[in-house]
Amino acid sequence: MRTSRTAALAAITISTLALAACSSADADPQPSASAAASTSPSAAASAATADLGTEVTVVTHDSFAVPDDVIDAFEAETGLAVTFVAPGDGGTLVNQLILTKDQPLGDVVFGVDNTFASRAIDEGVFADYESTAPAAADAAQYAVADSSALTAIDFSDVCLNVDTTWFEANDVAAPTSLDDLLEPEYQGLLSVTNPATSSPGLAFLLATIAAEGDGWQDYWTALNENDLRVTSSWSDTYYTDFSAPNYGGDYPIVLSYASSPPYEVGEDGTTPTAALLDTCFRQVEYAGVLEGAANPAGAQAVVDWMLSDEFQASIPENMYVYPVSSSVAVPEAWTEFAPLAEQPWDVAPAEISANRDEWIQQWTDIVTP
């Protein structure tokens, strides 16, 4: 999934990360209401026989957000001091993990998604770990095939969002499909993120490849000719470019998530934005222990913690994505304002792995030559 929606961590610049690296050795997916609730064992209990050490470093994207009290409780329970390191958006995160794999930036990572996961796994970034937390059974439905390196933590649909108030004020019908965006009435209205640097950007590229098939390059050529705007990160597109009342940018169509509209609900109980569910690609975010971690036991405890009821329950209202745990309820407003796509666009993981770099290069040649 996003600059953090709450100030749960301070972003650290890549130059600082480089210095840190030198000094250290982006089934049914809907949570099931009928699943039996269970209380997750504590991270400390799940690693009771391990020496967790005194500190652990979590590497994540710059949209990671979790309440301070959830972090404080984990630290008190385990005796670990947790440091968060955020090199950038999801795509930047994976690039940095690969570049620093011989001197890892930390012990455990959160935020590698299914569009970039195979790349990081193929590069040997992660150590195998299989959590025994109860929510691990829910996470298993999103497991990366033939790998024990990553554990699913959350999911959502990457979709275009529209500022419905802008379309009403300008007496223009909002688009509903990918092909609508090529029409002249939407010229200069769309902002998306670069798939080379942003995991939502790559997810959207994959949605267009799934939808347009062999014609996807022609589609992007036409989209670009319709005055497409491209930014380097989700936060630039959403927080800076979006014309929605909370932001005041110039673009009433932006790339975000199906679960973004509830974040914009006002005092009147309505939201000025909506997700276009025919444009969605399902994104899953994972956690994984870094190969060569200074504290692998502490890293495993963090993965278990991220599957705990406390952490999972904090996900919807802080990162605005769905928790993988079927024991955790999402806010009631999500039924109305954050429905998941019934048929999101999909590209097989093996096909993504085989073609990702070439597709990104082809996109770059078309859109940002």
Side-chain angles (χ1 to χ4, degrees):
M1 223 207 334
R2 302 161 297 227
T3 301
S4 114
R5 297 185 189 274
T6 60
L9 62 92
I12 300 176
T13 63
I14 292 177
S15 60
T16 302
L17 293 174
L19 290 173
C22 292
S23 63
S24 63
D26 155 165
D28 183 358
Q30 180 68 36
S32 170
S34 64
S38 60
T39 302
S40 300
S42 69
S46 64
T49 61
D51 178 3
L52 299 184
T54 59
E55 56 187 37
V56 65
T57 298
V58 181
V59 187
T60 186
H61 53 54
D62 59 7
S63 301
F64 176 80
V66 63
D68 288 342
D69 62 334
V70 175
I71 299 171
D72 292 345
F74 173 72
E75 290 184 321
E77 182 180 24
T78 61
L80 287 164
V82 184
T83 298
F84 295 96
V85 170
D89 207 337
T92 301
L93 169 64
V94 172
N95 290 337
Q96 287 299 304
L97 292 174
I98 292 170
L99 288 172
T100 61
K101 65 181 181 179
D102 293 330
Q103 294 179 307
L105 299 174
D107 301 298
V108 60
V109 64
F110 166 84
V112 174
D113 82 336
N114 52 318
T115 65
F116 281 108
S118 61
R119 182 181 174 206
I121 291 171
D122 291 346
E123 291 285 347
V125 167
F126 302 108
D128 287 345
Y129 177 62
E130 295 186 25
S131 175
T132 57
D138 294 318
Q141 65 184 306
Y142 306 102
V144 178
D146 302 319
S147 176
S148 299
L150 291 171
T151 302
I153 304 298
D154 65 63
F155 69 96
S156 189
D157 287 340
V158 175
C159 315
L160 295 177
N161 279 213
V162 295
D163 173 5
T164 56
T165 60
W166 186 96
F167 285 100
E168 292 168 1
N170 288 274
D171 197 25
V172 175
T176 61
S177 69
L178 292 169
D179 287 341
D180 284 350
L181 302 171
L182 304 183
E183 298 299 327
E185 58 263 42
Y186 305 116
Q187 182 175 5
L189 302 185
L190 172 63
S191 174
V192 301
T193 55
N194 190 322
T197 59
S198 163
S199 58
L202 180 54
F204 183 62
L205 172 59
L206 294 173
T208 65
I209 290 171
E212 304 296 333
D214 291 340
W216 75 267
Q217 294 183 57
D218 293 335
Y219 175 81
W220 277 96
T221 298
L223 200 61
N224 197 40
E225 290 173 349
N226 214 25
D227 291 344
L228 171 71
R229 172 166 165 78
V230 176
T231 71
S232 62
S233 71
W234 171 87
S235 56
D236 289 337
T237 284
Y238 196 83
Y239 289 133
T240 302
D241 285 357
F242 203 12
S243 65
N246 287 341
Y247 311 110
D250 297 325
Y251 295 84
I253 312 169
V254 300
L255 184 63
S256 194
Y257 292 81
S259 48
S260 294
Y263 184 70
E264 310 302 339
V265 172
E267 294 181 358
D268 63 355
T270 66
T271 178
T273 72
L276 305 183
L277 297 184
D278 287 341
T279 69
C280 298
F281 184 92
R282 184 143 299 157
Q283 183 184 60
V284 180
E285 290 188 310
Y286 298 92
V289 177
L290 288 168
E291 187 68 57
N295 185 2
Q300 292 172 4
V302 169
V303 175
D304 294 343
W305 169 55
M306 289 183 175
L307 289 176
S308 70
D309 289 347
E310 294 76 16
F311 188 97
Q312 289 281 300
S314 78
I315 287 174
E317 293 186 343
N318 289 276
M319 290 189 280
Y320 274 75
V321 290
Y322 282 82
V324 295
S325 175
S326 59
S327 314
V328 172
V330 297
E332 291 185 9
W334 284 36
T335 301
E336 180 177 0
F337 298 123
L340 290 162
E342 293 183 3
Q343 293 183 310
W345 296 107
D346 182 57
V347 178
E351 191 174 357
I352 296 173
S353 182
N355 296 286
R356 181 194 307 103
D357 293 344
E358 182 179 0
W359 285 338
I360 290 174
Q361 186 58 57
Q362 291 171 340
W363 179 93
T364 300
D365 292 341
I366 294 166
V367 179
T368 59

